[in-house]
Amino acid sequence: MNLPVSSSTPFGGDYSPEQWPQDVWKEDYRLFDTARIDTVTLGVFTWAQTQPAEELYDFTVLDGIVAEAEAHGRRICLATGTGAHPAWMARAHPEVTRTDFEGRRHRYGQRHNSCPSSPVFRRLSAEVAGRIAERYADRPAVIAWHVGNEYGGACYCERCTAGFRGWLRERYGTLEALNTAWNTAFWSHTFYDWDEIEAPSALTEHWRGPDHTAFQGITLDYLRFMSDAMLANFRDEKAAIRRFSAGTPVTTNFMGMYRPLDYHRWAPHLDFASWDNYPPEDGSPAWMGLSHDLMRGLKDGQPFWLMEQAPTTTACRDVNPVKRPGVMRLWSWQAVAHGADAVLYFQMRASRGASEKYFGAVINHAGRDDTRVFREVASLGAELERFGGVALGARTPARTALLFDWDSWWALEMSDGPSRLVRYQQVVLGYYRALWEAGVDVDVVPVTADLSGYDVVVAPVLHMLKGDLAARLEAVARRGGSVLATYLSGRVDESDNAFLADVPGPLAPLMGVRVDEWDARGPDFANPVRLGEGPQGLVAEARLLFELVQPRGAEVIGTYQADFYAGTPAVTRNSFGAGHGWYVAAGLDQAGVGWVVRQVLDTHGIAGRYPGLPGLETAARVAPDGTRLLFLLNHAAEPVEVPAEAGGLDLLTGERIEPGRPFGLDAYGVRVLREDD
Ligand code: GLA
Ligand code: ZN
């Protein structure tokens, strides 16, 4: 099963009428009409209302909310509401609350607060999901099921510990295999009974928070187990829904680059992917592009839903700026450009009280339809309506893949040595940014993805190398492709044990290098790296991590300029089959990363569209009927002039763009060209 069937981009989002008296609902729908909001996500936090006591279900409120949406002809994304459990449940069954990393059993409070291993929680959450499905499954307005909300966090209670032991038995079969995988001969850790195994926490293996562990293998497996335990919660509810609803797709809202959950392990169990886009302070378009592409990669390139974004300000940060005029529209189109087939907000009407009362909403506390935010939402609604369904189901025609791997992320960031300063997301983002700045479409894919269709595969900090990946990367190069890998790659196997081989382990033949030593320095130290020669060359700076490379067949592309390893290679290129393995041995600055990435792209004639216009993003999608869409997104606060490459029709303005003739893009402006054949 795939995305909800639709003939236009669903537009709307989280709506919580349960917080309001009914006369407000009428007014809401009047405003939704004005803004052309056609889709509402209902019931995300209604468990306490739907089930006021263990033996009592009361659908009065949810019935009313669903009926009101139906009466106004809206499409409904209906939630199971299990992202926060009711207070009575925690009182009657203290086991449903979580135990934190420090070992404190929590009492009732907050949300995303349930122990994933609690049999009571698992039973009651599946039951309420089933009841909701049973009641509303045959309503045509319900186009999607929204299970839970933003799964995440972790629990360290005795039930989770028991669950962990069971998970380990299944993974390893014997204690002997487990002892080998965890290298327990170190520090006298040999386990003789499964019940000796503890959850890795502040009370056991950890010493300075979740990233500082004595046994990476144990902590890594606990992260995998916790991800699977929450996935089991999702699957409980999905199975309960499926008993009553055979054909309506099920999702849960992800959070992009969210470290605690391995979304690649989750993805096969969702009918379609969806995520909540709350970019960090800088709101960097490359960060959002990477996140969108990662989410699109979850289901093999199928479009996803933008389940939440803020119409303007957030509330959860220390400082919460408003989105500048035009920015919300720009970011919405950016999501569509990267594969979103729905544009949804959190939230429709601002809560009156509690922690999100200042979180930006389509309708503010005064209920006005003449605020800047409301007007921008309404005009985007009108624009999406005119745009229609032309992009629905459209695919991204990428020739470049970037590998993203939660195991590598976890292993790298909990490693003692060589440097705590090397952060997975930052390195990956640096390489993605270089591709983004080059104007290249990228598929961000798991390490298990089929790589046979790509000319270029970029694999930043591929710390853990699993399965047959090295062979599949070699195959990319052998048939003429390029593989770009970096420092701290090919270091450990899936149990986080070092390869008993020269670094970069299984990648060494492809990269044609050998690394015996690596230097780590503080953020203030930079070693200049000379890249290439003559006017095409560049002197970049490298920081944090410096591997000392001995070429074993590779040619030297860049060299360190300082310290005792001055003159030795920092960047190499190895001929392999008809293609190449590129190795970047140091933490190059963005200019350096950009230089290397351009060399690789040039080899394959993969040209970005407008590399001279740094704030201008381009993204392509090809619709199922072959229609080619080119999205042009100006992230700069000034207008730009763009020379048209191909001719086409701007679907947002109806304007014809002639090939070769320059056209303008406003500050934060967007154009969507249907390219001529
Ligand atoms: C998350 C949640 C929403 C809401 C928003 C805004 O994405 O899913 O319920 O809390 O953030 O903070
Ligand atoms: Zn637990």
Side-chain angles (χ1 to χ4, degrees):
M1 199 178 304
N2 204 322
L3 287 135
V5 179
S6 176
S7 58
S8 64
T9 310
F11 182 63
D14 278 35
Y15 177 44
S16 306
E18 67 276 8
Q19 297 179 18
W20 302 94
Q22 295 219 1
D23 53 323
V24 177
W25 303 5
K26 305 276 177 229
E27 176 60 5
D28 287 336
Y29 279 97
R30 188 183 72 74
L31 297 172
F32 294 169
D33 285 341
T34 311
R36 291 185 169 77
I37 282 166
D38 56 34
T39 304
V40 283
T41 303
L42 301 175
V44 180
F45 291 106
T46 49
W47 198 354
Q49 273 139 324
T50 309
Q51 192 176 6
E54 186 155 351
E55 303 306 329
L56 180 67
Y57 286 91
D58 179 354
F59 286 97
T60 318
V61 175
L62 201 52
D63 280 352
I65 291 171
V66 168
E68 191 76 20
E70 285 175 330
H72 293 278
R74 301 309 136 135
R75 297 182 277 194
I76 299 170
C77 172
L78 191 55
T80 59
T82 51
H85 56 237
W88 60 256
M89 198 180 293
R91 180 161 175 246
H93 307 282
E95 67 162 77
V96 302
T97 64
R98 287 186 187 173
T99 295
D100 66 21
F101 181 73
E102 277 74 33
R104 299 172 302 183
R105 155 75 71 195
H106 283 214
R107 299 173 64 91
Y108 179 71
Q110 273 273 2
R111 65 170 177 174
H112 306 146
N113 48 3
S114 307
C115 164
S117 310
S118 151
V120 171
F121 174 75
R122 293 190 67 174
R123 175 172 57 82
L124 293 176
S125 58
E127 211 170 282
V128 71
R131 295 253 184 170
I132 289 171
E134 179 179 27
R135 199 167 183 91
Y136 305 108
D138 60 353
R139 314 283 269 263
V142 176
I143 61 164
W145 299 107
H146 178 301
V147 171
N149 187 67
E150 294 192 336
Y151 280 92
C155 181
Y156 298 85
C157 75
E158 62 290 356
R159 282 183 183 77
C160 285
T161 305
F164 183 44
R165 292 172 187 150
W167 185 93
L168 292 168
R169 267 176 197 262
E170 231 166 73
R171 181 176 174 85
Y172 294 107
T174 65
L175 278 169
E176 200 189 346
L178 171 137
N179 279 313
T180 305
W182 289 355
N183 200 41
T184 54
F186 181 70
W187 285 3
S188 189
H189 265 51
T190 309
F191 294 106
Y192 295 100
D193 192 305
W194 296 96
D195 289 341
E196 292 163 6
I197 298 166
E198 299 287 353
S201 72
L203 302 180
T204 61
E205 299 296 354
H206 284 253
W207 48 281
R208 229 177 76 194
D211 285 351
H212 291 75
T213 174
F215 275 80
Q216 280 72 16
I218 301 181
T219 301
L220 192 65
D221 274 342
Y222 200 72
L223 283 160
R224 291 167 173 158
F225 156 71
M226 204 27 78
S227 182
D228 284 358
M230 289 189 196
L231 173 58
N233 294 168
F234 169 84
R235 295 179 68 187
D236 289 346
E237 292 191 40
K238 185 178 178 190
I241 290 170
R242 278 283 167 266
R243 283 177 37 225
F244 303 101
S245 165
T248 304
V250 179
T251 191
T252 183
N253 49 339
F254 285 156
M255 292 177 276
M257 286 180 282
Y258 178 66
R259 200 177 73 159
L261 298 186
D262 184 343
Y263 290 150
H264 287 138
R265 291 162 79 103
W266 280 61
H269 303 281
L270 274 63
D271 295 320
F272 68 102
S274 65
W275 85 287
D276 302 344
N277 180 23
Y278 297 110
E281 270 78 335
D282 68 342
S284 126
W287 184 94
M288 292 187 283
L290 168 56
S291 305
H292 288 311
D293 290 350
L294 174 68
M295 296 294 102
R296 191 184 69 245
L298 292 179
K299 300 290 287 179
D300 203 18
Q302 278 170 32
F304 57 90
W305 272 22
L306 176 62
M307 187 65 90
E308 297 182 21
Q309 65 169 336
T312 174
T313 175
T314 56
C316 43
R317 311 255 158 79
D318 285 354
V319 175
N320 300 276
V322 296
K323 287 186 178 171
R324 274 42 205 166
V327 167
M328 183 277 293
R329 169 178 180 256
L330 173 68
W331 292 4
S332 301
W333 281 111
Q334 189 197 22
V336 175
H338 284 265
D341 270 5
V343 174
L344 304 170
Y345 301 100
F346 181 89
Q347 59 180 337
M348 293 299 103
R349 182 181 276 273
S351 298
R352 194 167 177 209
S355 65
E356 291 180 346
K357 67 178 177 297
Y358 292 133
F359 195 97
V362 175
I363 305 170
N364 70 2
H365 289 140
R368 303 201 71 99
D369 61 3
D370 60 355
T371 61
R372 175 180 72 84
V373 172
F374 187 89
R375 277 198 297 260
E376 287 196 28
V377 169
S379 89
L380 179 61
E383 192 167 62
L384 283 167
E385 192 180 66
R386 287 197 301 278
F387 186 68
V390 56
L392 296 175
R395 297 293 196 126
T396 301
R399 293 168 59 195
T400 303
L402 182 141
L403 301 187
F404 194 99
D405 184 41
W406 264 267
D407 276 332
S408 279
W409 190 355
W410 293 336
L412 178 82
E413 296 193 351
M414 69 167 89
S415 179
D416 276 326
S419 173
R420 291 275 175 191
L421 302 182
V422 178
R423 307 303 292 173
Y424 184 77
Q425 257 195 92
Q426 270 171 24
V427 183
V428 171
L429 180 58
Y431 282 82
Y432 182 89
R433 187 185 299 280
L435 294 163
W436 186 89
E437 282 171 355
V440 168
D441 294 310
V442 185
D443 283 344
V444 178
V445 299
V447 292
T448 50
D450 175 8
L451 302 176
S452 61
Y454 298 108
D455 294 326
V456 173
V457 177
V458 180
V461 274
L462 194 59
H463 196 67
M464 180 177 289
L465 213 91
K466 295 172 286 191
D468 63 349
L469 179 59
R472 287 185 300 112
L473 291 171
E474 287 183 1
V476 171
R478 196 167 285 123
R479 63 171 164 77
S482 295
V483 176
L484 168 55
T486 75
Y487 55 98
L488 295 180
S489 292
R491 295 303 188 107
V492 296
D493 65 13
E494 63 178 345
S495 301
D496 200 61
N497 291 313
F499 290 112
L500 300 178
D502 290 331
V503 169
L507 292 176
L510 172 55
M511 294 301 146
V513 297
R514 167 179 152 192
V515 175
D516 295 349
E517 282 190 280
W518 41 91
D519 196 16
R521 304 290 298 269
D524 298 335
F525 174 80
N527 195 326
V529 170
R530 174 173 296 283
L531 296 164
E533 280 155 20
Q536 312 304 336
L538 173 81
V539 178
E541 282 190 339
R543 280 176 208 270
L544 303 185
L545 214 286
F546 315 84
E547 290 180 345
L548 277 56
V549 173
Q550 304 171 43
R552 288 288 179 271
E555 64 180 299
V556 179
I557 301 291
T559 46
Y560 295 114
Q561 300 297 299
D563 218 318
F564 77 94
Y565 43 90
T568 71
V571 179
T572 57
R573 180 178 64 180
N574 189 41
S575 290
F576 192 94
H580 293 103
W582 290 74
Y583 194 70
V584 178
L588 291 183
D589 61 14
Q590 194 60 46
V593 172
W595 187 92
V596 175
V597 164
R598 288 289 169 99
Q599 305 294 311
V600 175
L601 294 173
D602 285 352
T603 314
H604 300 278
I606 302 180
R609 284 192 165 81
Y610 302 109
L613 298 170
L616 185 73
E617 176 175 11
T618 60
R621 285 183 79 180
V622 181
D625 67 359
T627 303
R628 283 180 298 124
L629 300 170
L630 175 63
F631 295 80
L632 295 142
L633 306 146
N634 181 18
H635 292 276
E638 302 82 39
V640 285
E641 280 279 291
V642 185
E645 278 232 325
L649 182 71
D650 182 344
L651 296 176
L652 304 186
T653 60
E655 207 177 320
R656 256 214 69 79
I657 303 294
E658 299 301 337
R661 182 127 38 92
F663 59 91
L665 260 169
D666 296 336
Y668 303 128
V670 180
R671 286 186 187 267
V672 185
L673 304 189
R674 192 180 66 205
E675 294 191 308
D676 298 340
D677 291 331

